[in-house]
Amino acid sequence: MAYAQPGHYWLRDETEHERALAYLTTGTACQLALRDENTRYVLVAYPPGATS
């Protein structure tokens, strides 16, 4: 899946996972921006109970 290539490094990065978890457990949204040749992807995760 070519569209998944930009995120492969993130899947193996334990430090980044811990950082995302720390944000979410303190009630803060976590954002991940990825790029490939023609597209920029922005993924946002909100903690449970967040309104936006």
Side-chain angles (χ1 to χ4, degrees):
M1 292 185 218
Y3 61 85
Q5 293 299 339
H8 279 196
Y9 81 93
W10 192 85
L11 293 173
R12 296 184 301 268
D13 191 333
E14 188 173 327
T15 301
E16 286 299 317
H17 290 167
E18 292 296 323
R19 186 178 318 200
L21 183 59
Y23 279 121
L24 294 171
T25 58
T26 61
T28 304
C30 178
Q31 178 175 308
L32 174 65
L34 304 168
R35 294 177 185 228
D36 66 10
E37 296 169 357
N38 301 311
T39 308
R40 180 174 180 225
Y41 306 90
V42 179
L43 309 172
V44 180
Y46 294 96
T51 57
S52 61

